[in-house]
Amino acid sequence: MFWRHVVASASELEQAGNESYQNEHMSQLFDEGLSFSGFERDTLYWARGDGTYLDISGVSGLDSITDGRGLAYGDLDNDGDLDVVTVPVQEVGRLLLRNNVGQDNAFLRVSLKGTRSATDAFGAVVRVTTPAGVLTKIKAGGSGFLSSSDPRLLFGLGSEPEESYRIEVAWPSGLKENHEVIPNESVLAVEGEGLTRLESTLAPLPSPLSSSDRIFRSLALSKGQPFPLLTMSPVPHGPSVTPSWSGVGRKSLVNVWATWCIPCAIEMPELQALYPELTEAGVDLVGISVDTNADGVAPYLEAKGVDYPIYILAEKDFGKIFPGDALTVPLTLVVDETGAVIEALSGWSAETRERIESLTRPQP
């Protein structure tokens, strides 16, 4: 992304700030899926308790390259810890990150309802006295960019809770009230009327996507849809062809790779070893190279001892598999007898190898 500084008349500025900006810049974000800020990864930091923070973005799973512009947090499954929902600026989906760390510890969940104060009780302060110190939370109307989080205030009480705790509620009206509560309770504090204990049962979250379904989310392909018609050149060099996988009556294993891909160098000889078994099991193995310089493909295959069918994909058709400029290889696609893409495997691992080997065995 770059910025250009210009001096222009008011009418020119209006055009640059509206029609031109919307039609060109914004269309790249929402129509082409480009990044607003260079695919910066989302981050999550853990407060150590001594004034420093530890970056736990990677291990938490929050380090998405989507341009997150909205974030809300709350105990979505009522298990006593905070979960996170983020919204990318392109609005291509919502990311729900379930927190499975700390749910076995004790907690206290406080809801507030004002009477003298406004009903939502925004601005109320709740303090919980613990042996380790006083925990304080403020009831806020929103947080982050256009985001509103769980209105219930959640306090973590650790793995060895006390029998009871004293909480103080300072209402916006000026009224202060003290209450006695026990761990792992959800309570409703009504201004001037005391506490009501609430039922709080575990709420199921949506089942996690399979690894294959997650991969489809990052591709231009859709699960269950026909494999796209691609313009490709056979290796050794030959005229461009547009093979169809529809109606061949056999499954296909389509492996997308590149000579510059390090995992591909390990994967391809192993695929070569499985080639006879796959063929006998009724599965056609096909390799598709996304190298933009085709000269090195044939020598590479010769050096690796690969002789199953290989094609070089025309650069203009990259977008039929990968959105934007993101080429993620190796990528292996399972195409059924009707030509529909039914499974996607990313990278090369023991699990990927086992799944491909399973295609050589009799299917139930």
Side-chain angles (χ1 to χ4, degrees), residues 96-108:
L96 169 58
L97 296 106
R98 180 177 183 175
N99 183 4
N100 286 329
V101 178
Q103 70 272 14
D104 295 329
N105 290 342
F107 66 90
L108 174 65

Side-chain angles (χ1 to χ4, degrees), residues 5 12 68 151 176-177 197 200 246 284 318 342:
H5 179 72
E12 289 173 327
K176 288 187 177 181
E177 297 181 298
R197 284 165 175 79
S200 180
S246 177
D284 294 327
F318 284 6
I342 59 173

Side-chain angles (χ1 to χ4, degrees), residues 8 10 17 33 117 122 146 149 181-183 187 207 223 232 248 287 294 299 303 320 330-332 335 348 353:
S117 308
F122 294 141
L146 300 179
S149 296
V181 297
I182 61 176
V187 298
S207 301
K223 183 177 181 180
M232 303 186 294
V248 296
K320 292 183 178 181
L331 170 69
T332 305
V335 182
W348 185 250
R353 184 190 306 108

Side-chain angles (χ1 to χ4, degrees), residues 42-258:
D42 296 333
T43 55
L44 178 67
Y45 295 92
W46 174 41
R48 299 174 189 258
D50 59 1
T52 64
Y53 296 84
L54 178 66
D55 187 344
I56 59 170
S57 309
V59 296
S60 71
L62 196 77
D63 60 339
S64 168
I65 63 171
T66 58
D67 283 335
R69 286 299 181 271
L71 180 146
Y73 52 86
D75 190 1
L76 302 181
D77 51 359
N78 287 334
D79 66 347
D81 56 31
L82 293 177
D83 309 294
V84 175
V85 177
T86 66
V87 180
V89 68
Q90 292 92 347
E91 297 185 353
V92 294
R94 308 292 185 267
L95 304 181
L96 169 58
L97 296 106
R98 180 177 183 175
N99 183 4
N100 286 329
V101 178
Q103 70 272 14
D104 295 329
N105 290 342
F107 66 90
L108 174 65
R109 185 184 291 111
V110 180
S111 299
L112 301 172
K113 180 180 179 181
T115 54
R116 304 178 195 176
S117 308
T119 303
D120 289 327
F122 294 141
V125 180
V126 178
R127 297 179 175 90
V128 180
T129 302
T130 76
V134 177
L135 305 177
T136 303
K137 289 185 181 290
I138 301 175
K139 175 70 178 294
S143 60
F145 178 70
L146 300 179
S147 301
S148 181
S149 296
D150 192 339
R152 304 171 300 173
L153 304 181
L154 185 64
F155 297 86
L157 302 177
S159 58
E160 299 180 1
E162 301 292 300
E163 291 185 2
S164 65
Y165 293 86
R166 184 179 67 85
I167 69 170
E168 177 192 84
V169 182
W171 298 94
S173 65
L175 177 66
K176 288 187 177 181
E177 297 181 298
N178 291 285
H179 306 283
E180 197 79 13
V181 297
I182 61 176
N184 299 324
E185 276 199 327
S186 293
V187 298
L188 170 64
V190 180
E191 186 177 14
E193 300 179 12
L195 287 184
T196 301
R197 284 165 175 79
L198 303 175
E199 291 291 331
S200 180
T201 57
L202 288 176
L205 291 181
S207 301
L209 294 173
S210 68
S211 59
S212 178
D213 288 340
R214 287 197 299 271
I215 296 166
F216 275 114
R217 289 288 184 91
S218 65
L219 300 176
L221 304 168
S222 296
K223 183 177 181 180
Q225 295 300 308
F227 192 87
L229 294 175
L230 302 173
T231 302
M232 303 186 294
S233 302
V235 180
H237 292 306
S240 294
V241 295
T242 307
S244 171
W245 276 266
S246 177
V248 296
R250 292 168 59 89
K251 286 185 177 180
S252 297
L253 191 68
V254 181
N255 178 251
V256 186
W257 66 282

Side-chain angles (χ1 to χ4, degrees), residues 253 255 264 266-279 285 301 304-310 348 356:
L253 191 68
N255 178 251
C264 298
I266 302 172
E267 172 195 48
M268 296 184 69
E270 298 202 35
L271 288 176
Q272 177 65 43
L274 289 171
Y275 178 38
E277 296 178 57
L278 288 167
T279 302
L285 174 60
L301 297 175
K304 295 295 180 184
V306 172
D307 63 5
Y308 56 84
I310 298 288
W348 185 250
I356 293 175

